[in-house]
Amino acid sequence: MQWTDVCSVSDLQENSGVCALVNGLQVAIFYLPADEHGVYAIGNYDPIGKANVLSRGIIGDIKGHKVVASPLYKQHFDLQTGTCLEDEWVTVPVYACQIEGGRVQVDTRLIAPLRQLIETSTNAQQEGVSA
Amino acid sequence: MSNKQTLVVIGNGMVGQHFLASLVASPVKDQYHIVTFCEEPRPAYDRVHLSSFFTGTSAKELSLVEDGFFEQHDITLHLGDKAATIDRTAKTVTSSKGICIAYDKLVLATGSYPFVPPVAGHDRAQCLVYRTIEDLEAMAAAAKTGKVGTVVGGGLLGLEAAKALKDLGLETHIVEFAPRLMAVQLDEAGGAMLRRKIEQLGVIVHTGKNTSLITDGEQCVNKMCFADGEELETDIVLFSAGIRPRDELARACGLEVGQRGGIVIDNDCKTSDADIYAIGECALWNGMIYGLVAPGYAMARTVVANLEGNFYSSFRGADMSTKLKLMGVDVASIGDAHARSQGALVYSYQNDANEVYKRLVVSEDKKYLLGAVLVGEASGYSTLLQYCLNGIELPENPEALILPHRSDESVGLGPDALPASAIICSCYNVSKGKLCTAIEAGCTTVDALKTSTQAATGCGGCSALLKSVLNSELAKQGVEVNTDLCEHFAYTRQELHALVRVEQIKSFSDLLAKHGKGLGCEICKPTVGSILASQWNEHILEKDHLGLQDTNDNFLANMQKDGTYSVVPRITGGEISPDMLIALGQVGKKYKLYTKITGGQRVDLFGATLEQLPLIWQELIAAGFESGHAYGKSLRTVKSCVGSSWCRYGVDDSVSLAIELENRYKGLRSPHKIKMAVSGCTRECAEAQGKDVGIIATENGWNLYVCGNGGMKPRHADLFATALDKETLIKTIDRFLSFYVRTADRLQRTSVWMENMEGGLDYLKSVIIDDKLGLAEQLEQQMQTVIDTYQCEWKTTIEDESKLKRFHHFINSDATDDNVVFVEERGQIRPARDDERKHFNLVEVA
Ligand SMILES: Cc1cc2nc3c(=O)[nH]c(=O)nc-3n(C[C@H](O)[C@H](O)[C@H](O)COP(=O)(O)OP(=O)(O)OC[C@H]3O[C@@H](n4cnc5c(N)ncnc54)[C@H](O)[C@@H]3O)c2cc1C
Ligand code: SF4
Ligand code: SF4
């Protein structure tokens, strides 16, 4: 993994999102303190509304998928796969994200479904899943 | 030439038009060339709702004829031309303008004219009648100079005319010959109760008065002298002493007419000449003239059936039951109201404190309902009518039907108890069976059902019943009517509100843990956020509530399409000083914002980025502005006209009231946005009748309208209470709003909320005005809490470092969003379109 240090956990908003500039990319980071993973990161650009706003959406779950609802037109994006629930052909990038020693870190190389990433990294502890 | 026959209709009133509409919907229309004579200068309009002309409904809105109707159906319309003679031997009709048409079939739908008693002086100036739009225009003109108006006749129409005079701002009298009001429909006690209620509204009632002369007045234009020697000075005399059928044409051509007028018809609506029919108020069937629209419509349909060759569908009389709202007083009369039937038994309930009078007339064996009278509260009308018309057996204790009951008990007749033949909508003759067929065919919403069957589109009295038939049929079909808010809460918004209130729940996580599942979503989070705010009113950016808010609430501004925000400071009542306006302009200029005036009389500043929001607000607050809550589902604005301070016509100070109300309710979180307006007189420049809460000044106090709205589906507001002083007005609005906040569904405007409420407007009045549920005090307290805990959300925010942290596009950088690009247009910015993004000419972001 190539983690980039982003900010402190105290900069995050509980059960809500913020946007970070990481390696020139706009990344939306969501913080769910009660959740097993705690943090999720996806691209901040809403491909339907065509604006950098996803970090400002409401998060929740729909039929078991953790999602953010676009603040513009309310489509849901799966935080773990980046897929739009209303239109599976529309996706946003998903980045690896973790909390380490009170710091939030993102790996922007990984434009891959996070679920796949988690499975691979927990099963094999291997580094660098290619895109 | 075609071999079509010619069918001529004389009269294009309500019934004539219904006949045409029914005819063109039938295949027999192809056999006829249709011609109609319309004496009035405009085609058919809704006479039943004529009085709404005075509350702002235009002649066009009253029209019953869709644009292009005559052309589309190839009907020749002779507008403003009166049929003058009928030659039955030659089978021709000749008009005043000299047009002569040969007919094969002739339909007389000439209606009736108001009866003016032959009192000496009845034709003096400002002695008027109440039947056509022109009559109303004459009244309005006379009211401009006059101060006093008197209606002769205390029947149904007379009371309605009195209301019109009252609305025109006149001192209003009713003079009735009989010893009580509405003598035809009401018994003595009912008449007395009605009188009391009407007198409370400031109308002066004189019963048992026989007018003998109308002559010159001293203070007024006219003076009425009564047989008992008393006199009454009045400017306008409005005759409403009954109607007389217009049978002059029929008489002149030798058709059989009744002794006291009316064209005699048989069960097929044929006159004594087999080629001539008569329908509506000009027709005399079985010795009866029906002065109501529903029987006329039934006659019209009978004639169409007859032309189709369907001779079984004959006219067999009609029910004369009526329910109306007379000057805000509910009055209903069903069947044998006077208990004249053999052996009839009477139950009555009289409550002087609440001014309710109800009476049931039942058969000797107590099994069937024969008639009923309801005054002051008529919500049971449709149930009672169904018992009466369908001969449904009464419950063991029929009195339960008129005794007051608690809201949680239902004594209504369930839709399942009705036979398929039960007529639900009597205006359009729609039976329960017909509704069920339509529901089976896929009309599963109230709107779809209305459109496909026309039910509830006439007087609307049956809409509650229609809805319950729909629900019960859907339930039978197994279509579950799911009212859950979303997958996380198996409750309605109203139920959640109650849980929050009763269990004193103060956060979303508590509510979710106790009553929900999962994480929540963009539906339940803002809903609960709003409930919590209306109950406890904590700052919405407190940590616990933050993730709950829609993005607009979340950053206290309105997100626009490119992710930037617009800013709307509060401008109470739309009143703003030049200095404040300059301050606003300076902020707009400094931050290069696009500025536009809103429909709610404020200024909207567009194009602010997240990081600019606190800076902008710092300056606005320093200049004396506060948050306008345009971002929230909350009270938006109280629009006002300039009112009596400046306006020549102003009756009261609409601006001061608007400011007071806006300051009172600002910040109130609600299921949807709330708009209000105050007009200084009935000219209604503030368009208050298009608002959730609208107030209009009158000579006698404030008139309150509720549940109107503009937007996608405009709705005219309903008159809720009249002649209120300010204190009562505010109390009533407090209760109304609190009740709405408590019980409405998510994103439900007041209009839809009220329409979906069982019992509708009447029920709402009973809760808010009569305090039927005993909730009034709680509702007022709930509002007081919100008022007492008001804070300008922006002021609190800029004073709190921790809250400000979020107002940056990036959490880890001071850079701005490079996707936000503006171009210039008419000297201001606007977001660049896709096709412009790749080009030059872009304005730097501040
Ligand atoms: C203020 C008011 C309130 C009412 N409220 C209610 C209510 O709540 N419920 C209810 O059921 N009923 C109500 N009515 C009664 C209802 O309006 C009538 O029953 C209905 O209009 C009758 O329809 P019609 O077509 O027979 O007569 P009209 O609507 O009067 O139409 C007859 C038309 O024929 C025209 N005409 C007459 N002679 C000729 C001729 N020779 N040539 C050409 N044209 C001619 C007339 O000018 C008129 O336009 C109300 C009436 C009024 C005035
Ligand atoms: S509503 Fe009346 S008072 Fe207000 S501006 Fe119009 S005319 Fe004047
Ligand atoms: S009418 Fe439509 S385009 Fe205009 S502001 Fe409203 S939502 Fe936007």
Side-chain angles (χ1 to χ4, degrees), chain B residues 641-644 647-651 654 679-686:
Chain B
C641 74
V642 75
S644 59
C647 175
R648 278 181 294 150
Y649 304 109
V651 173
S654 45
S679 278
C681 79
T682 49
R683 284 177 181 73
E684 246 284 69
C685 297

Side-chain angles (χ1 to χ4, degrees), chain B residues 285 515 800 845:
Chain B
W285 178 85
H515 300 289
D800 182 345
V845 191

Side-chain angles (χ1 to χ4, degrees), chain B residues 439-445 469-483:
Chain B
I439 296 167
E440 267 167 44
C443 298
T444 53
T445 63
V469 169
L470 175 65
N471 285 346
S472 110
E473 286 308 301
L474 287 178
K476 268 190 238 160
Q477 287 179 17
V479 178
E480 212 175 303
V481 193
N482 187 347
T483 53

Side-chain angles (χ1 to χ4, degrees), chain A residues 14-71:
Chain A
E14 284 186 21
N15 299 310
S16 182
V18 296
C19 174
L21 189 60
V22 189
N23 303 330
L25 295 171
Q26 293 204 17
V27 180
I29 303 175
F30 301 97
Y31 182 31
L32 288 87
D35 184 86
E36 43 184 330
H37 301 300
V39 277
Y40 293 86
I42 62 172
N44 192 35
Y45 186 73
D46 172 356
I48 296 171
K50 298 194 176 147
N52 288 312
V53 294
L54 289 185
S55 62
R56 291 175 249 163
I58 291 182
I59 47 180
D61 62 344
I62 301 288
K63 300 199 176 76
H65 300 273
K66 295 195 176 71
V67 293
V68 59
S70 161

Side-chain angles (χ1 to χ4, degrees), chain B residues 690-754:
Chain B
K691 301 283 187 271
D692 297 283
V693 175
I695 298 141
I696 299 176
T698 72
E699 303 278 2
N700 306 316
W702 302 103
N703 282 1
L704 174 62
Y705 291 79
V706 297
C707 303
N709 62 250
M712 203 142 39
K713 219 174 153 195
R715 180 180 190 281
H716 201 280
D718 290 304
L719 183 58
F720 197 66
T722 54
L724 302 176
D725 55 51
K726 198 175 83 183
E727 205 181 316
T728 319
L729 173 75
I730 289 180
K731 210 187 232 178
T732 312
I733 303 176
D734 277 2
R735 294 178 186 180
F736 171 80
L737 290 177
S738 294
F739 193 56
Y740 167 60
V741 166
R742 256 192 202 196
T743 61
D745 278 338
R746 161 184 177 267
L747 298 187
Q748 195 174 40
R749 289 292 295 267
T750 54
S751 52
V752 181
W753 168 66
M754 193 268 282

Side-chain angles (χ1 to χ4, degrees), chain B residues 515-825:
Chain B
H515 300 289
K517 57 169 190 276
L519 301 176
C521 65
E522 83 288 353
I523 292 174
C524 58
K525 282 182 168 180
T527 304
V528 173
S530 156
I531 294 174
L532 292 171
S534 65
Q535 193 63 31
W536 317 118
N537 216 19
E538 293 174 341
H539 196 286
I540 57 169
L541 298 191
E542 285 306 329
K543 196 164 139 241
D544 277 351
H545 308 319
L546 195 122
L548 304 182
Q549 312 301 337
D550 263 326
T551 180
N552 287 351
D553 271 322
N554 213 343
F555 292 97
L556 306 173
N558 293 46
M559 185 185 273
Q560 300 302 327
K561 60 192 291 184
D562 61 348
T564 64
Y565 289 87
S566 80
V567 171
V568 191
R570 188 167 295 290
I571 297 179
T572 41
E575 182 184 81
I576 185 163
S577 69
D579 279 338
M580 294 289 269
L581 207 48
I582 288 169
L584 207 54
Q586 277 166 343
V587 170
K589 200 165 174 179
K590 176 161 170 192
Y591 293 93
K592 290 195 188 151
L593 302 173
Y594 169 77
T595 55
K596 189 169 192 307
I597 308 292
T598 72
Q601 303 186 328
R602 348 197 237 189
V603 180
D604 206 341
L605 307 158
F606 290 79
T609 58
L610 266 187
E611 37 278 318
Q612 287 175 335
L613 286 174
L615 303 174
I616 291 173
W617 272 106
Q618 217 139 27
E619 296 194 29
L620 289 174
I621 286 169
F625 285 102
E626 55 178 15
S627 168
H629 291 94
Y631 43 81
K633 299 284 178 249
S634 57
L635 172 78
R636 293 288 168 86
T637 62
V638 184
K639 187 173 172 177
S640 69
C641 74
V642 75
S644 59
S645 324
W646 288 91
C647 175
R648 278 181 294 150
Y649 304 109
V651 173
D652 211 330
D653 185 357
S654 45
V655 180
S656 297
L657 181 67
I659 293 175
E660 182 172 345
L661 291 176
E662 188 161 340
N663 280 326
R664 185 173 181 83
Y665 302 117
K666 63 189 176 188
L668 171 70
R669 299 281 155 164
S670 47
H672 208 306
K673 61 188 169 195
I674 301 174
K675 297 184 176 180
M676 304 195 191
V678 186
S679 278
C681 79
T682 49
R683 284 177 181 73
E684 246 284 69
C685 297
E687 298 167 332
Q689 291 165 98
K691 301 283 187 271
D692 297 283
V693 175
I695 298 141
I696 299 176
T698 72
E699 303 278 2
N700 306 316
W702 302 103
N703 282 1
L704 174 62
Y705 291 79
V706 297
C707 303
N709 62 250
M712 203 142 39
K713 219 174 153 195
R715 180 180 190 281
H716 201 280
D718 290 304
L719 183 58
F720 197 66
T722 54
L724 302 176
D725 55 51
K726 198 175 83 183
E727 205 181 316
T728 319
L729 173 75
I730 289 180
K731 210 187 232 178
T732 312
I733 303 176
D734 277 2
R735 294 178 186 180
F736 171 80
L737 290 177
S738 294
F739 193 56
Y740 167 60
V741 166
R742 256 192 202 196
T743 61
D745 278 338
R746 161 184 177 267
L747 298 187
Q748 195 174 40
R749 289 292 295 267
T750 54
S751 52
V752 181
W753 168 66
M754 193 268 282
E755 279 168 358
N756 286 348
M757 199 178 280
E758 205 160 318
L761 185 68
D762 294 337
Y763 174 73
L764 190 57
K765 281 189 188 172
S766 70
V767 174
I768 304 298
I769 301 176
D770 310 329
D771 194 15
K772 179 170 135 183
L773 303 182
L775 273 181
E777 207 182 305
Q778 257 189 52
L779 294 174
E780 284 171 31
Q781 264 167 16
Q782 184 183 331
M783 185 57 70
Q784 199 55 48
T785 312
V786 174
I787 295 164
D788 292 341
T789 51
Y790 169 80
Q791 45 184 319
C792 168
E793 286 163 350
W794 264 112
K795 188 157 183 282
T796 319
T797 304
I798 57 173
E799 282 165 1
D800 182 345
E801 269 305 315
S802 71
K803 291 195 172 84
L804 282 179
K805 206 160 105 182
R806 298 168 45 251
F807 288 87
H808 288 283
H809 190 79
F810 296 114
I811 195 74
N812 59 344
S813 158
D814 287 337
T816 51
D817 182 2
D818 58 7
N819 189 51
V820 171
V821 185
F822 298 123
V823 296
E824 214 177 274
E825 191 169 79

